[in-house]
Amino acid sequence: MSNSTTQIMEETVSETTSDTAPLVSSEVPSSSNYTQLNHTSDIQETVEDELQGSHGVRRRQPIQKIEPGSMNTLSAKYESLDYDTCENHLLLDEERKRGYAFIVWKDIARWVIVLLIGVITALIAFIIDICIEEFSKIKYKQLKKSVDTYVMLDKLYIPYLLWVLSNICVVFIGSMLVAYVEPVAAGSGIPQVKCYLNGVKVSRVVRIKTLFVKAVGVITAVVGGLAGGKEGPMIHSGAVVAAGISQGKSTTFNKDFKIFQYFREDHEKRDFVSGGAAAGVSAAFGAPIGGVLFSLEEGTSFWNQGLTWRTFFGTVVSTFTLNIALSAYHGHPGELSYPGLLNLGKMEPFPFQFYELPVFMFFGMVGGVLGALWNYINYRLSVFRIRYIRSPWLRVVEACLVAAVTATCGFLMMFVLDDCRPLGEDPTKVPLQLFCADGEYNTMAAIWFQTPEASVRSFLHDPMGSYKPLSLLVFVICYFLLSTWTFGLAVSSGLFIPNLLTGAAWGRMLAILIQYMLPSNTVNPAKYALVGAAAQLGGVVRMTISLTVIIIETTGQISNALPIIITLVVAKWTGDFFNEGIYDIHIQLAGVPLLPWEPPPLAHNIYASEVMSHPVFTLRTVENVGHIVELLRVVSYNGFPVVDPPLADDAEVTTYKRLRGMILRSQLIVLLQNKIYNENANTTWSNFNVDMNMFRKEYPRYPSIEELEISDWEKTCTIDLRPFMNPSPYTLPHRASLPRLFRLFRALGLRHLPIVNDLNEVVGMVTRKDIARYRVWRHRGHMGMEELLLSSE
Ligand code: ATP
């Protein structure tokens, strides 16, 4: 690291820490430093104190109303998932009663669920593929017919209007669904799935309604001619299928099948969702290994060997099922030649010399620069959308406008670029003569009158000389801009295919240039088109391992691996020099508290005592119902440390108490809802017939405290929290450093972490959001750390 970089980091760190006095490790907080709240009357007062920043209370960053579209805020609306198992008495009781047989049964159930996820994801992919193919066939056949008819009559505006109208009508349907029925189904869904797997609850992201809108939306987007693909949405679809099946119930249909109840917890559900996302990749690209690696590289923060195996099983089942279905549909049952939705055609292994490696690096650099530019334009557009295109109808209008502009661009290119080739030289399905001589067809029309995926195939496989360099250049500029405008519209579509298409076009263009410069060499255009496609996509999404494997599996050529790896690595490094990958940009724009892979560097001098919130709202092991209700009403926190009640002879009532466990808001709500309380504080919980299923029944949507009816008399009762709380939560001492806190949250998927002093008394509270607030920024070789603001939006 250069001196200047170090200096910037040091400056930033000292700026970050200067407003809070670091607590030296030997310092033990005293009761005058911190207070702890146990009394109902304290609660309201302290919340007010906090907001005013009164002495003795750490002024927690206030939740602000920040102008949307800012990159340095975290949104308070996202809650965290809890990967940690609550090992309470009820769980131990259940384990003891059910024994080993239940463990085996659960394991078998996991494999069966993964099998179902693979099959159903593949069937959804099959339906989407067939719909897109059939509707596109009808659309382009009609358009060709119309062009052929009206070109003679010099009335080409009629097919043009037809094209625009057909695009708008189809896109309108999908866009209405996304804008009005399920906005979370917009885009590819990969950023949302990535957040979910990282441990952030994104509302409605894995609902069946979302899946339905996603599937219809992607069909309409591709048939509507937008510069989008069906592959990204498949990943989201796989995740929804996994979440739905593994929970054995559907919130959309309000139906509980009363199966797989024991998987109704964040921990289990998230494992299935990562398997589902992988099965989606596998169906999209016919890439089972790429699917597993995708989940590992892009999404899942928590991984283990068992999960690897199951995920791999799911991806294999998914590609196999899709293969059988598509092969049968295309009239070759049993042939198994359609492993995924993306079919790049049969690629030959391309021989390469060592002196070509710098050429691949150059391609990687071009891809990195273009990808960064693509991301930058998309970022500016997204900010504009967030600020000004907010109402659903405006979003629908924008989508329809893009659909019309896309058709206009295509039409102008066909019309203006006079690029004709003799028929029969390339396998176009809709050869359009337009103004070409007899026996020739318009190459741009051939590219536009088919799905973008088929166009990628054309750029990869058509022989050298099939396209004029000028046509390719115009196509690259148009498609580059259209695709960056399309991503983020209120439609469901992904960015893989449009970027592969743009990259394949400029790769082919550079191949023509190389051929021109080295006339003695016969340049293989497929090689450069493929490397260009990989570079462009890599420059946008910044994936390396998984993308390499996906491309290798999709093209079926392991021998092409090295050029692709080199290209993707250089594309990532080049792109990272300018900005982040597109998914991360969208995640930051949404203010999602995502935990990165590594803790912020040079942060060992930031201590838990500076990061934590205090005073802490705690509950006593045997707590008064009225107090719990009041607490839940006044504060919005989701976790509360459970502490020992003060001893009768404890003179100083405000000192903090020894930590006994952690209890979640959701658990308290279920206890209140089921009225698990006693008139008498000495009555034990065993009087109630309570088991884990009481909590699982409500998972994952619990009623709010306002929805519960609790009478004044009930408020005088008490709840014994001990059997329900997590009796051994992870804790850290107040002197722990930020990287240590970070690793604990990241590796264990924690949601809350009580901070204790040397006597195991709770002195503070750290949540996932508190950690996610510290973010590293890198820009053009500089590096630093910033503390993000907390926004209410
Ligand atoms: P999540 O949103 O992850 O589901 P949460 O609602 O409990 O969890 P946050 O929204 O992250 O917590 O908390 C906002 C702020 O409140 C954080 O700064 C956190 O440290 C603080 N906080 C959380 N729980 C408590 C508590 N029991 N007592 C005092 N402060 C708390």
Side-chain angles (χ1 to χ4, degrees), residues 137 144 146 278 362 377 382 426 480 502 515 560 564 580 684:
K137 230 187 259 170
K144 177 184 158 24
S146 159
F362 174 72
I377 299 174
S382 304
D426 85 11
F480 181 92
T502 313
Q515 171 90 353
N560 300 343
I564 291 169
E580 309 239 6
T684 65

Side-chain angles (χ1 to χ4, degrees), residues 37 50 58 60-61 63 75-82 199 201 593 611-619 631 635-641 662-665 750-753 762 764-771 773 790:
L37 299 160
E50 259 180 59
R58 180 195 157 206
R60 220 169 275 138
Q61 249 199 15
I63 297 180
S75 168
K77 75 177 182 208
Y78 292 105
E79 288 189 358
S80 307
L81 297 168
D82 211 340
K201 200 181 280 177
V611 178
M612 71 190 196
S613 299
H614 62 87
V616 183
F617 292 89
T618 57
L619 293 168
L631 183 66
V635 299
S636 59
Y637 308 136
N638 284 299
F640 302 94
M662 269 296 292
I663 193 143
L664 295 177
R665 167 182 284 264
L750 300 186
R751 185 178 184 183
H752 300 98
L753 184 77
V762 188
M765 185 73 159
V766 177
T767 62
R768 210 175 171 282
K769 250 176 244 154
D770 291 325
I771 301 293
R773 256 186 15 228
L790 209 56

Side-chain angles (χ1 to χ4, degrees), residues 186-367:
S188 69
I190 296 179
Q192 288 91 331
V193 173
K194 188 170 167 172
C195 294
Y196 186 87
L197 297 178
N198 188 273
V200 183
K201 200 181 280 177
V202 183
S203 295
R204 309 185 313 279
V205 77
V206 286
R207 289 216 191 155
I208 299 218
K209 190 162 93 182
T210 311
L211 175 62
F212 172 76
V213 174
K214 191 114 223 165
V216 178
V218 75
I219 294 170
T220 55
V222 181
V223 175
L226 292 179
K230 56 191 181 239
E231 283 68 19
M234 267 323 298
I235 298 166
H236 189 179
S237 305
V240 182
V241 170
I245 295 181
S246 64
Q247 301 300 291
K249 67 174 183 178
S250 154
T251 314
T252 306
F253 298 117
N254 199 11
K255 183 108 194 90
D256 189 342
F257 297 98
K258 305 253 179 338
I259 48 170
F260 305 139
Q261 278 120 322
Y262 34 85
F263 292 136
R264 292 184 191 171
E265 52 182 73
D266 289 350
H267 174 96
E268 296 282 359
K269 190 169 169 184
R270 192 150 34 146
D271 280 358
F272 287 115
V273 170
S274 53
V281 176
S282 177
F285 302 100
I289 303 171
V292 177
L293 290 175
F294 174 86
S295 270
L296 189 62
E297 185 180 3
E298 274 301 299
T300 315
S301 317
F302 320 102
W303 201 254
N304 56 53
Q305 202 189 28
L307 186 59
T308 315
W309 272 115
R310 274 197 304 276
T311 306
F312 185 52
F313 176 63
T315 58
V316 172
V317 169
S318 167
T319 182
F320 181 68
T321 312
L322 184 67
N323 212 334
I324 293 182
L326 280 180
S327 302
Y329 174 78
H330 290 289
H332 320 285
E335 204 178 84
L336 297 186
S337 44
Y338 295 89
L341 295 188
L342 176 64
N343 181 359
L344 294 185
K346 206 167 160 41
M347 296 287 292
E348 296 301 325
F350 44 75
F352 54 92
Q353 311 292 330
F354 76 92
Y355 56 78
E356 282 186 88
L357 297 186
V359 178
F360 299 136
M361 286 181 188
F362 174 72
F363 269 66
M365 274 164 65
V366 174

